[in-house]
């Protein structure tokens, strides 16, 4: 496909070319050679301009047949000629639309003028494809490409251009075979300048010739050096200066007349911006900062919603407000005020960073809201969910999603996130050693979840600690003690402890020892035992099928001991205490009804005379003395 096919536009075409038919590459070859210099080795910029003008084919038919063809960059000449062709038509049509709008007196552009400007923008965008913009952040690449394209055009309008036949390669739209392409130089420098067109893409097998990255970086400085020189173009107008110092896109809106009618200092230039543009940018910054701050203050004055879902919905207002504010600020700064140059790159990078940060924030809050809805939804059985595990899982998913979005946003503003991740792999061992306690706690939390040792709301004992589990986080577990103090234990420490979980009991033990008075007759005691056993077996909540013992177990220090042993069919401790109270009261009634009563601690004291110590002879073992002691009357 011939490269000239890219120079298209449904509404544009030079005079004298309207009757030109669509030509094949072979038919276009004679057209590509016309306008050659009359003397070998001598060509002026005006002759190049004339040649370019003569090379423009029927744009309407080419646009119809090849609307998305890229510019030809197969050789240095093809790239340079493609740029000149595209910018020639873009400049001509741009000035035509602008002058027509300014002379019409209309407040808004017509539909026809909007379509024409769309064609102009398409020409400029295609011309921008001949530059290597890989060093420019992606967030500002589109806007910067327009500025670089216009600056490069103004540079070429003010310098000497060699005869196109002297540029390496064939004319734009000429197909080169592999041998011809291999003979082209890797770099070509425009004579008398530092403007270089170099090979790119050789590693991918698709060789293209683009204006080099180093040249792109110097184009703003080169433009500043030549902008005071006269232009060789027919219009003689600096379209780049018109573009950066006027609002709107390509054509200044009607409200710009107010700036023109104001004092001259508003149109003064400072830092490649007009003074009125700096003022407008400062006002936009003030408004953009005040909007989220105002929302935050307003939410502080409002009452906090009682509903957990509504509280989360309110928290989602902040990232949404930040995103819309950054989006509106960028549109007004770049499109309406038309900030350009380095300030535009800063505005684009900051707005892009805020937008992706707010998107990541909003995504995290959305996942948190989903977790709250799932846990609060009455259609989901609460008994089947571990609320702490579910909430932590949702938070991990939300955090991972936010990190991915932030990483993608960082790549958009030129931060090499993937390189940073690769660098972390090199120092991964050091990071792992430094984060060992955190990893231990994380693994401990996973063990608590996997083994299901404890759940939120359960009452447990942890080797000296006892209380109700309030939350199990990624790093630690919070326990509410009986005295209402809050105890925080790391997950790794908790996973190593012996845990007694009282809330996991399927039944509660009823075990007591009754002490009857020693005066109780054996028949009365046996009657009490039978009556208690019958009562317990008849109670609906006593699990007599599992274990039920009512037995006389021994003689106590001051009572006859009867052991009661059984289980109550409940796991709720409050309910168990109520049932136990009922059983104990009835058992006391049974004991008294059978003529007995409960013993209480008592002591019996016996009084007697002390006989003293034995005599010495008796202690020494003399038989005669022992006999005399035995014969002696007792005192």
């Amino acid at each position: 496909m011939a490269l000239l096919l890219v120079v298209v536009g449904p509404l544009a075409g030079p005079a004298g070319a309207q009757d030109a038919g669509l030509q094949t590459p072979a038919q276009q070859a004679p057209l590509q050679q016309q306008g050659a210099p009359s003397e070998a080795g001598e060509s002026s910029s005006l002759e190049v301009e004339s040649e370019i003008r003569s090379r423009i084919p029927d744009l309407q038919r080419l646009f119809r047949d090849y609307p998305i063809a890229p510019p030809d960059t197969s050789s240095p000449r093809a790239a340079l000629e493609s740029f000149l062709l595209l910018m020639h038509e873009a400049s001509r049509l741009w000035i035509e639309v602008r002058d027509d709008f300014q002379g019409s007196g209309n407040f808004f552009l017509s539909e026809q003028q909007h379509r024409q400007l769309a064609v102009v923008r398409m020409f400029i965008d295609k011309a921008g494809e001949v530059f290597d913009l890989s060093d420019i952040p992606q967030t500002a690449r589109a806007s910067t490409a327009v500025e670089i394209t216009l600056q490069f055009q103004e540079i070429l309008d003010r310098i000497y251009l060699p005869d196109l036949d002297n540029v390496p390669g064939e004319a734009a739209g000429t197909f080169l075979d592999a041998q011809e392409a291999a003979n082209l130089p890797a770099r070509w420098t425009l004579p008398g300048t530092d403007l270089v067109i170099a090979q790119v893409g050789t590693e991918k097998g698709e060789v293209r010739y683009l204006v080099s990255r180093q040249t792109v970086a110097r184009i703003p400085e080169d433009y500043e050096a030549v902008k005071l020189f006269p232009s060789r173009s027919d219009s003689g107008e600096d379209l780049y200066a018109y573009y950066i110092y006027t609002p709107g896109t390509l054509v200044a809106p009607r409200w710009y007349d107010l700036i023109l009618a104001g004092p001259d200092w508003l149109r003064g230039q400072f830092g490649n911006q007009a003074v009125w543009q700096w003022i407008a940018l400062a006002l936009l910054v003030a408004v953009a900062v005040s909007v989220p701050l105002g929302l935050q203050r307003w939410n502080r004055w409002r009452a906090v919603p009682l509903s957990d879902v509504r509280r989360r919905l309110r928290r989602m207002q902040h990232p949404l407000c930040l995103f819309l504010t950054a989006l509106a600020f960028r549109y007004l700064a770049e499109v309406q005020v038309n900030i350009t140059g380095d300030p535009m790159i800063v505005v684009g990078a900051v707005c892009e960073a805020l937008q992706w940060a707010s998107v990541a924030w909003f995504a995290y809050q959305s996942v948190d809201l989903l977790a709250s809805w799932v846990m609060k939804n009455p259609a989901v059985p609460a008994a089947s969910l571990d609320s702490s595990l579910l909430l932590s899982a949702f938070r991990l998913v939300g955090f991972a999603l936010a990190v991915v979005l932030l990483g993608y946003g960082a790549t958009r503003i030129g931060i090499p996130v993937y390189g940073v991740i690769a660098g972390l792999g090199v120092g991964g061992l050091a990071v792992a050693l430094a984060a060992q306690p955190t990893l231990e706690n994380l693994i401990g939390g996973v063990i608590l979840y996997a083994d299901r040792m404890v759940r939120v709301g359960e009452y447990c004992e942890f080797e000296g600690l006892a209380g109700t589990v309030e939350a199990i986080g990624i790093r630690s577990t919070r326990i509410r003690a009986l005295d209402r103090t809050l105890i925080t234990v790391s997950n790794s420490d908790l996973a190593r402890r012996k845990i007694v979980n009282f809330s996991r009991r399927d039944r509660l033990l009823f075990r007591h020892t009754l002490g009857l008075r020693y005066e109780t007759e054996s028949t009365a005691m046996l009657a009490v035992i039978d009556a208690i056993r019958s009562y317990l077996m008849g109670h609906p909540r006593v699990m007599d099928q599992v274990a039920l013992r009512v037995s006389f177990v021994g003689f106590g220090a001051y009572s006859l001991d009867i052991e009661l042993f059984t289980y109550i069919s409940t796991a709720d401790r409050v309910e168990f205490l109520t049932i136990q109270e009922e059983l104990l009261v009835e058992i006391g009634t049974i004991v008294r009804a059978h003529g007995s009563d409960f013993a209480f601690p008592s002591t019996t004291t016996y009084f007697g005379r002390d006989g003293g110590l034995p005599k010495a002879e008796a202690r020494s073992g003399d038989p005669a003395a022992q006999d005399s002691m035995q014969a002696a009357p007792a005192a």
Side-chain angles (χ1 to χ4, degrees), residues 154-282:
E154 295 301 325
I155 292 173
L156 296 183
D157 278 347
R158 290 166 171 80
I159 64 174
Y160 172 82
L161 289 179
D163 188 350
L164 293 178
D165 289 335
N166 296 329
V167 181
E170 297 297 329
T174 303
F175 293 98
L176 299 178
D177 57 30
Q179 184 177 1
E180 292 176 333
N183 293 330
L184 292 174
R187 295 164 56 89
W188 178 77
T189 303
L190 195 63
T193 70
D194 290 330
L195 306 178
V196 177
I197 298 179
Q199 263 187 9
V200 297
T202 55
E203 67 278 359
K204 298 181 180 179
E206 180 187 358
V207 178
R208 295 184 301 158
Y209 282 86
L210 303 179
V211 178
S212 67
R213 295 182 291 111
Q214 294 79 6
T215 301
V216 169
R218 287 196 309 269
I219 284 177
E221 298 178 4
D222 292 342
Y223 168 76
E224 291 294 327
V226 303
K227 68 178 181 180
L228 297 180
F229 287 82
S231 173
R232 64 173 176 82
S233 63
D234 292 340
S235 64
E237 181 178 359
D238 191 336
L239 291 178
Y240 171 72
Y242 174 80
Y243 172 76
I244 65 172
Y245 295 126
T246 57
T249 54
L250 301 180
V251 175
R254 189 62 66 185
W255 61 263
Y256 183 61
D257 294 341
L258 299 176
I259 304 295
L260 296 176
D264 293 339
W265 60 266
L266 286 176
R267 298 186 299 278
Q269 300 174 10
F270 174 74
N272 288 332
Q273 310 292 323
V275 174
W276 72 266
Q277 289 176 314
W278 287 115
I279 296 175
L281 180 62

Side-chain angles (χ1 to χ4, degrees), residues 15 177 194 214 273 370 464 480 509 525 560 568 577 584 602:
D177 57 30
D194 290 330
Q214 294 79 6
Q273 310 292 323
L370 179 62
R480 182 71 67 178
L509 176 64
M525 182 180 64
L560 303 174
I568 307 299
L577 293 176
L584 293 178
S602 59

Side-chain angles (χ1 to χ4, degrees), residues 67-108:
I68 59 174
D72 186 1
T73 56
S74 60
S75 67
R77 176 178 177 177
L80 179 60
E81 192 172 358
S82 298
F83 179 84
L84 294 173
L85 285 167
L86 289 165
M87 291 307 298
H88 179 276
E89 277 303 289
S91 302
R92 185 192 63 79
L93 187 57
W94 183 2
I95 296 174
E96 178 183 320
V97 175
R98 185 199 62 184
D99 295 343
D100 182 54
F101 172 68
Q102 291 178 348
S104 65
N106 297 329
F107 193 79
F108 296 105

Side-chain angles (χ1 to χ4, degrees), residues 616-631:
E617 292 83 356
R619 289 196 304 270
S620 64
D622 184 3
Q626 293 178 5
D627 291 341
S628 62
M629 284 183 59
Q630 292 175 359

